[in-house]
Amino acid sequence: QVQLVESGGGVVQPGGSLRLSCAASGFTFSSYGMHWVRQAPGKGLEWVAFIRYDGSNKYYADSVKGRFTISRDNSKNTLYLQMNSLRAEDTAVYYCAYGPRGFREIAYWGQGTLVTVSS
Amino acid sequence: SYVLTQPPSVSVAPGQTARITCGGNNIGSKSVHWYQQKPGQAPVLVVYDDSDRPSGIPERFSGSNSGNTATLTISRVEAGDEADYYCQVWDSSSDHYVFGTGTKVTVL
């Protein structure tokens, strides 16, 4: 079955950097686009970024564009999110997710990893 | 940017019907998807493409979409349906995924 396991979360100071990883299994990772979605404590879902199956195109929410970079290594079945210039408002649980039908529904979600930006 | 607006909360008695709306400009022209999220858990897809259900989702969950409003309907509500619900679309004009503001469903 599909498994998405995020790692790399933790506490980081404002202005710092962090890289999240998502290990995928149970499906042909190299055939599907992947998302990062986040949820601040007590708040709603916010889409962060999407990368096409081959990494050829990347899309970002306005709130993270220029600071975050989504990437993937299809040889390792792993998705990444490089987060730079972190702000307090980036504090959230970050979910790795995907949907088999491209720019449609998100059918599968990981359990999330918590990022806390605080001094 | 495209905005999806949901009521913050909906309360419903067990066995009754809950209706959760999702408002957006000409949302009827887009495919709407709905997610259920219980505390401390990842979201779960309950309706996709306006009205289709993934396997394993009870028939009590249904959806519709027309004009400026999409609706998720939960029939014969059970205590286990208590959760937050989010609508979502892909906005092709901005190449952004957009989530609704979320609705907390409380079973009385």
Side-chain angles (χ1 to χ4, degrees):
Chain A
Q1 72 280 21
V2 172
Q3 284 199 40
L4 300 167
V5 180
E6 302 92 341
S7 61
V11 180
V12 60
Q13 291 189 340
S17 298
L18 208 59
R19 188 177 83 155
L20 305 183
S21 300
C22 171
S25 61
F27 66 105
T28 306
F29 179 76
S30 58
S31 296
Y32 298 103
M34 298 292 297
H35 298 269
W36 286 101
V37 178
R38 69 183 180 183
Q39 187 170 36
K43 302 297 185 182
L45 300 173
E46 180 186 16
W47 172 77
V48 173
F50 175 78
I51 184 170
R52 284 191 179 266
Y53 70 99
D54 59 357
S56 59
N57 291 90
K58 306 173 184 181
Y59 307 84
Y60 297 93
D62 294 344
S63 57
V64 306
K65 196 168 188 178
R67 300 188 299 122
F68 289 12
T69 302
I70 188 171
S71 63
R72 64 191 298 159
D73 186 337
N74 286 345
S75 69
K76 295 182 178 179
N77 287 355
T78 302
L79 176 72
Y80 303 100
L81 185 67
Q82 177 67 43
M83 303 185 295
N84 298 332
S85 302
L86 282 162
R87 307 166 179 166
E89 54 264 35
D90 296 319
T91 294
V93 173
Y94 284 73
Y95 294 102
C96 165
Y98 100 99
R101 301 196 306 152
F103 297 106
R104 293 287 200 173
E105 72 280 5
I106 299 176
Y108 300 97
W109 300 70
Q111 284 306 301
T113 186
L114 177 62
V115 172
T116 302
V117 183
S118 173
S119 55
Chain B
S1 60
Y2 195 76
V3 176
L4 295 175
T5 302
Q6 300 179 233
S9 62
V10 167
S11 297
V12 59
Q16 299 304 302
T17 298
R19 293 181 179 85
I20 305 163
T21 58
C22 175
N25 183 37
N26 197 26
I27 195 174
S29 66
K30 302 179 184 299
S31 290
V32 179
H33 318 295
W34 291 90
Y35 304 87
Q36 176 194 70
Q37 187 181 32
K38 297 181 179 180
Q41 297 184 19
V44 172
L45 180 70
V46 293
V47 166
Y48 67 97
D49 285 354
D50 300 339
S51 58
D52 290 334
R53 278 176 290 103
S55 61
I57 300 301
E59 292 182 6
R60 300 185 298 103
F61 289 83
S62 62
S64 62
N65 184 20
S66 179
N68 293 319
T69 304
T71 303
L72 174 70
T73 301
I74 311 173
S75 304
R76 303 180 298 283
V77 166
E78 303 174 356
D81 298 331
E82 191 163 279
D84 294 325
Y85 291 83
Y86 297 90
C87 56
Q88 175 255 312
V89 301
W90 166 255
D91 178 30
S92 58
S93 65
S94 63
D95 285 340
H96 281 31
Y97 270 68
V98 181
F99 284 97
T101 50
T103 299
K104 181 176 181 59
V105 170
T106 299
V107 180
L108 301 172

